Amino acid sequence: MFVRFTKGDVTSYGVLNGDNIKKIQGDLFTGDYKITEETLQRKEVRLLAPCKPSKVICVGLNYKDHAKEVELPLPKAPLLFLKPPTSVVGPNNEVYYPEQSGQVDYEAELAIVIGKEAKNISEENANDYILGYTCANDVTARDIQFGDGQWTRGKSFDTFCPIGPGIVKEVDLENAKVELYVDGENKQRSTLDQLIFKVPHLVSYISQHMTLMPGDIILTGTPHGIGPVEKGSTMTVKVEGIGELANKLV
Ligand code: MN
């Protein structure tokens, strides 16, 4: 798994294997890099969000089980919205409960990490533009989202987009489990076969509307079981084949 981390003042990419991180030299996104023998311990570094997106594109209502839960018809095309890059934080970063809201919800999601600039690409070629996958939590001030009727404000607070812990190249896009836990208690559990619009279709469709840049992130939607979380609780997203992303709400 590729991770981005800091030690002291230095930010680097590396490959995490068990408790060891091997530093990477070069650019993960161009493919022009090499894995060095310089090894650090997981506990001596701080993991960061694994990339710095120019934008975070989100897909609403993209799980069959979630559409059923909220009693909405299946969308005919992907329903898109954006979160600003300022909402992005990394693993174990705190998420701040905004004073404007009385209901903050978790949303466990599979995130696609774009590897290279993508415009008007086909579904068949989509995979060439994907660097890999990570876990995401589409934290949402639900009262504001529905009160406004327009989703931007409720989805955009600083810290409302935890991603991580790292980027894996391959995920089982049919069978991988997507789960969310609050203080260890399971709240969401589904599999990627519940996705209405699949990963290649999403990348192609979004690239017809806006140019995707290296490091951009696509949040693929959340399964059934959404719900509120209280201050002091820790939300943990687990995507099978990637790992765990834990963030405390404060
Ligand atoms: Mn979402």
Side-chain angles (χ1 to χ4, degrees):
M1 175 159 70
F2 296 108
V3 291
R4 194 170 143 257
F5 62 91
T6 52
K7 191 185 177 201
D9 294 336
V10 184
T11 299
S12 317
Y13 270 99
V15 176
L16 175 66
N17 208 332
D19 288 326
N20 291 326
I21 298 172
K22 281 188 171 174
K23 242 180 169 172
I24 283 175
Q25 228 167 43
D27 187 347
L28 188 61
F29 289 89
T30 61
D32 186 17
Y33 67 87
K34 69 171 201 275
I35 301 164
T36 70
E37 285 306 311
E38 191 181 343
T39 306
L40 299 114
Q41 294 294 304
R42 164 72 186 85
K43 59 177 183 291
E44 32 170 355
V45 307
R46 189 163 75 89
L47 293 188
L48 303 172
C51 55
K52 291 173 76 177
S54 76
K55 54 191 170 298
V56 178
I57 307 101
C58 306
V59 185
L61 214 66
N62 197 30
Y63 276 75
K64 292 171 200 157
D65 54 25
H66 176 50
K68 196 171 167 192
E69 165 186 56
V70 292
E71 296 178 337
L72 288 167
L74 300 188
K76 294 196 166 44
L79 176 64
L80 304 183
F81 64 94
L82 294 168
K83 285 167 98 81
T86 43
S87 65
V88 173
V89 290
N92 303 315
N93 230 109
E94 289 175 335
V95 171
Y96 296 112
Y97 202 117
E99 61 183 24
Q100 295 92 334
S101 175
Q103 189 190 340
V104 171
D105 281 19
Y106 52 78
E107 292 189 4
E109 311 206 4
L110 170 77
I112 305 166
V113 182
I114 296 298
K116 59 182 181 189
E117 190 172 321
K119 187 174 172 62
N120 292 328
I121 58 160
S122 67
E123 242 173 84
E124 292 69 35
N125 294 332
N127 206 40
D128 298 343
Y129 296 84
I130 297 171
L131 178 70
Y133 303 90
T134 192
C135 307
N137 188 348
D138 177 14
V139 181
T140 302
R142 196 69 73 197
D143 51 349
I144 295 176
Q145 180 195 12
F146 291 138
D148 286 1
Q150 210 274 28
W151 296 9
T152 302
R153 198 165 64 98
K155 294 279 192 178
S156 294
F157 288 99
D158 289 357
T159 73
F160 265 30
C161 189
I163 55 173
I167 301 168
V168 302
K169 289 272 192 194
E170 304 281 344
V171 167
D172 182 343
L173 293 174
E174 276 305 316
N175 301 306
K177 276 206 288 273
V178 176
E179 298 173 290
L180 187 127
Y181 294 79
V182 174
D183 296 331
E185 186 187 334
N186 179 250
K187 299 288 187 182
Q188 293 184 288
R189 177 174 289 150
S190 190
T191 48
L192 292 176
D193 67 347
Q194 288 290 310
L195 282 180
I196 298 165
F197 301 106
K198 308 287 184 187
V199 164
H201 183 75
L202 291 175
V203 173
S204 170
Y205 181 81
I206 293 167
S207 81
Q208 319 292 325
H209 294 80
M210 62 191 94
T211 302
L212 292 165
M213 300 303 291
D216 279 357
I217 293 277
I218 299 171
L219 267 53
T220 55
T222 200
H224 69 112
I226 59 166
V229 60
E230 302 302 327
K231 276 177 217 169
S233 287
T234 297
M235 306 171 276
T236 304
V237 177
K238 293 188 192 180
V239 178
E240 195 177 9
I242 302 176
E244 295 188 16
L245 170 69
N247 300 88
K248 187 176 179 180
L249 183 64
V250 298

